[in-house]
Amino acid sequence: MKFPYCQHRHSTPDPQAPALEIKGLGISYSSEEKFALKDFNISVPAGSALALVGPNGAGKSTLFKAVCGLLPVRSGSIRVFGHPLGACHHRVVYLPQRSEIDWHFPISVLDLVVMGRYVYLGWFNKPQKKDIEIARDALKEMNVEDLADRQISKLSGGQQQRVLIARALAQNADLLLLDEPLNAVDVSTRQTVADVLHKIKAQGKTVIVATHYYDQEEGRYDQAIYLKDGKKTSATPGVAELDSTHKDCDCN
Ligand code: ADP
Ligand code: MG
């Protein structure tokens, strides 16, 4: 079966396979031998929650972008639910860092969240009533249903994060890659995000959260891995090192 969105194929997940399996992955942004990720290996069981912890520049976003097929793989392999990249594209959702979004783009909150459905629709098909309902439910899940008609330029930092997560939820993917969803948000947004992570896991989905700051209780993670300079490190980085790039709350 093919989805209209970029003609991506829909393969049935291999029930025995991990949600994500990466072997010897090397990613470089330039032709020089400077690698953003080097000989990276990981196996993430389906239904688990993983914290990907590291300071700025460690390679967290690079890893997520590679898993979404947004960056060329220089070496190694990535398998998602037992398939090579692209074979089950709609099952993976990447939530970018808030700073990567153009928040001045003239679009309403609801329309942004409906974009989570495009993987099923294709770019040129109009969203159906069902898609709008799913988007509204996702906003409700994040406690921001009252913001549906607001322009995204009028959102606070915490609201932006909730809306982005709603868009990811609307896609109803099985592997969620959340890039720093807890960075610089208010306490109540942190709690909502933690609750939603818990729910996602209870639904049997797999979630990987990139973060500067690791709190086992906050996300109820099954495991944490630490990244530094594009490599996995067994040593837990010092709190000061991680916190130097972590802004706890802008709460605007
Ligand atoms: P993190 O998400 O952990 O902060 P990144 O994955 O963004 O780290 O960055 C990893 C490395 O790749 C850093 O050295 C960064 O400078 C480099 N890098 C990231 N994006 C680009 C890009 N678009 N072009 C060139 N280098 C990049
Ligand atoms: Mg990043």
Side-chain angles (χ1 to χ4, degrees):
M1 176 183 173
K2 280 196 172 185
F3 279 102
Y5 176 81
C6 298
Q7 296 295 300
H8 282 296
R9 282 176 294 123
H10 164 40
S11 301
T12 309
D14 172 356
Q16 309 298 326
L20 179 64
E21 185 152 51
I22 296 180
K23 288 186 182 158
L25 182 66
I27 302 279
S28 167
Y29 286 94
S30 62
S31 52
E32 298 150 35
E33 288 309 294
K34 191 181 177 315
F35 280 81
L37 273 181
K38 287 162 240 161
D39 194 22
F40 184 83
N41 300 288
I42 193 176
S43 179
V44 184
S48 67
L50 169 81
L52 178 65
V53 192
N56 262 351
K60 306 182 294 298
S61 301
T62 299
L63 178 64
F64 283 173
K65 287 172 187 169
V67 173
C68 293
L70 298 173
L71 294 173
V73 170
R74 288 278 295 268
S75 60
S77 66
I78 303 176
R79 294 186 82 81
V80 177
F81 297 111
H83 297 284
L85 277 191
C88 38
H89 184 73
H90 73 295
R91 292 188 185 277
V92 183
V93 68
Y94 168 51
L95 177 140
Q97 284 175 249
R98 267 194 298 142
S99 55
E100 295 205 6
I101 304 288
D102 176 7
W103 291 103
H104 295 291
F105 194 79
I107 186 175
S108 74
V109 163
L110 183 62
D111 286 344
L112 181 82
V113 176
V114 166
M115 287 171 83
R117 304 295 303 162
Y118 283 12
V119 71
Y120 301 100
L121 292 172
W123 289 109
F124 302 109
N125 296 323
K126 281 186 78 173
Q128 305 296 303
K129 201 170 153 223
K130 183 181 126 234
D131 300 301
I132 310 281
E133 272 168 22
I134 290 171
R136 285 196 185 277
D137 284 349
L139 282 170
K140 206 167 180 180
E141 186 96 52
M142 296 310 298
N143 295 328
V144 281
E145 65 268 39
D146 53 323
L147 300 180
D149 297 325
R150 191 174 291 185
Q151 288 292 300
I152 62 169
S153 56
K154 301 273 190 288
L155 300 176
S156 71
Q159 289 168 339
Q160 289 174 347
Q161 193 61 70
R162 286 168 187 253
V163 166
L164 278 185
I165 295 175
R167 185 178 69 168
L169 295 178
Q171 187 178 320
N172 195 22
D174 297 311
L175 171 61
L176 294 95
L177 311 173
L178 310 184
D179 208 344
E180 309 212 14
L182 299 170
N183 198 14
V185 294
D186 54 282
V187 173
S188 116
T189 300
R190 281 186 103 78
Q191 188 54 52
T192 308
V193 174
D195 292 347
V196 165
L197 288 185
H198 188 56
K199 267 193 217 164
I200 290 170
K201 242 194 87 183
Q203 290 165 0
K205 298 179 179 217
T206 311
V207 60
I208 307 181
V209 178
T211 180
H212 288 139
Y213 170 78
Y214 177 54
D215 179 341
Q216 163 64 24
E217 284 310 308
E218 202 160 44
R220 296 176 179 87
Y221 301 104
D222 298 299
Q223 57 167 325
I225 62 159
Y226 296 91
L227 256 189
K228 198 177 172 203
D229 298 332
K231 284 195 155 180
K232 229 165 41 169
T233 154
S234 50
T236 309
V239 171
E241 183 182 7
L242 292 175
D243 278 356
S244 65
T245 48
H246 172 72
K247 283 184 280 161
D248 199 31
C249 178
D250 66 358
C251 312
N252 45 7

